[in-house]
Amino acid sequence: MGIIWDRIQRCVEDIRKVTDFQPEAALVLGSGLGGFAARIQPEAQVSYGEIEGFPVSTVPGHEGRFLFGYVDGRPVAVMQGRVHYYEGYSMEDVVLPIRVLGALGAKELLLTNAAGGVNEALSPGDLMLLTGQITSFVPSPLIGPNENQLGPRFPDMTEVYSQTLRNRAKTAAEGLGAPLKEGVYLQTTGPSYETPEEIRMFRLLGADAVGMSTACEAMAARHMGLKVCGISCITNMVAGISSVPLTHQEVQKAADQAADRFQKLVWEYLRAQ
Ligand code: HPA
């Protein structure tokens, strides 16, 4: 048995002490989307602190718990709060919750986040469906001995973001009459925001949005064979486009302002199977 596999099983055991809920889909709530939890018909919840060895977020505004419940009758596991690489956790810790969701039985995963707009066609408040990602600026969460129970040594990453799930998100947005942009997400380690020079480089490389999460989670989920969808809330234009210095408060405020639209889209997406 692998070391990571055993660790995942111990987390699952701690959750199973509380609930035998079987999620079909899993959802990670990014900045500003935490309120989505209130829309779910709750069945059970487990604080990350109740799970032995589980990473707990140090960032204000990131609550830490799994919420299990129903979206229009569909069983969903929700991660309210995630940890980031910049907090000092290893990549193995950062993606542990995603692997636990896979081990609980989730077959598909929706990742949400707040991101900075690199492409000048984006504006603060836009919702952007992820069509692809660039992970080359963070360490791979798959480094280390491969554990075959999780997935293959050299997993294919041609279609990280499932075309089927992307279509579902687009249909949900059309149904709501809500605009949904599309683009490529690039993950940095953070915690500093980017320099204008880095942003010029990221744009040349094909990035439309930049953030400090998600891509490593998507990679770990694909390694396990989960289907993945990703949606960013563009909270700000990045350094070099925006003339005002960027603050976490501004990012949080913009995410809060978009929260209602974002929540409606996620709800429609989850109930359309
Ligand atoms: N850069 C990186 N991460 C972010 C940003 C940004 O501009 N906005 C929200 N998350």
Side-chain angles (χ1 to χ4, degrees):
M1 284 285 122
I3 292 168
I4 299 173
W5 183 256
D6 286 349
R7 192 175 173 203
I8 295 165
Q9 297 314 314
R10 283 196 300 276
C11 293
V12 169
E13 272 170 32
D14 281 350
I15 294 168
R16 289 295 176 227
K17 285 177 199 158
V18 179
T19 178
D20 60 1
F21 190 85
Q22 299 287 330
E24 245 176 54
L27 165 65
V28 179
L29 299 177
S31 301
L33 205 59
F36 184 81
R39 294 185 181 233
I40 288 174
Q41 186 196 330
E43 178 80 20
Q45 67 168 55
V46 181
S47 296
Y48 298 157
E50 291 175 66
I51 308 169
E52 201 192 317
F54 211 74
V56 178
S57 176
T58 58
V59 187
H62 285 258
E63 261 184 70
R65 61 170 179 163
F66 283 118
L67 179 66
F68 302 101
Y70 297 91
V71 169
D72 211 14
R74 189 160 192 233
V76 175
V78 179
M79 260 176 74
Q80 197 171 8
R82 55 154 64 98
V83 297
H84 302 80
Y85 186 61
Y86 62 73
E87 293 177 72
Y89 287 109
S90 67
M91 271 296 181
E92 183 190 317
D93 282 341
V94 171
V95 302
L96 177 72
I98 301 297
R99 288 171 162 161
V100 168
L101 288 168
L104 288 172
K107 298 283 175 275
E108 53 176 73
L109 171 69
L110 173 61
L111 297 167
T112 67
N113 61 44
V118 173
N119 185 329
E120 299 198 41
L122 294 168
S123 311
D126 279 350
L127 300 178
M128 186 187 96
L129 182 64
L130 275 52
T131 56
Q133 67 181 26
I134 297 171
T135 59
S136 317
F137 295 93
V138 292
S140 167
L142 309 185
I143 288 173
N146 189 59
E147 299 191 10
N148 293 326
Q149 301 99 322
L150 291 174
R153 170 77 289 187
F154 299 109
D156 179 73
M157 290 288 153
T158 312
E159 191 182 303
V160 173
Y161 295 100
S162 151
Q163 188 65 60
T164 311
L165 298 187
R166 276 154 60 188
N167 288 343
R168 195 194 289 168
K170 285 200 260 188
T171 306
E174 276 162 25
L176 289 167
L180 184 60
K181 301 277 176 72
E182 291 185 274
V184 173
Y185 178 91
L186 182 147
Q187 182 175 358
T188 64
T189 63
S192 57
Y193 292 115
E194 303 70 35
T195 64
E197 296 73 28
E198 285 162 341
I199 290 302
R200 267 208 309 276
M201 170 176 70
F202 292 161
R203 192 175 297 121
L204 277 173
L205 296 179
D208 297 297
V210 62
M212 304 174 195
S213 66
T214 302
C216 58
E217 298 164 347
M219 186 185 277
R222 288 302 300 138
H223 183 226
M224 288 181 89
L226 273 75
K227 281 202 171 97
V228 182
C229 189
I231 306 176
S232 292
C233 175
I234 305 299
T235 49
N236 57 281
M237 294 315 285
V238 289
I241 302 181
S242 164
S243 51
V244 289
L246 199 51
T247 63
H248 180 62
Q249 285 71 21
E250 180 197 339
V251 167
Q252 198 98 46
K253 191 167 157 224
D256 289 343
Q257 278 169 0
D260 194 53
R261 275 185 298 123
F262 204 174
Q263 287 182 23
K264 285 196 174 109
L265 175 62
V266 169
W267 180 268
E268 288 304 314
Y269 164 88
L270 285 172
R271 60 190 282 270
Q273 321 202 7

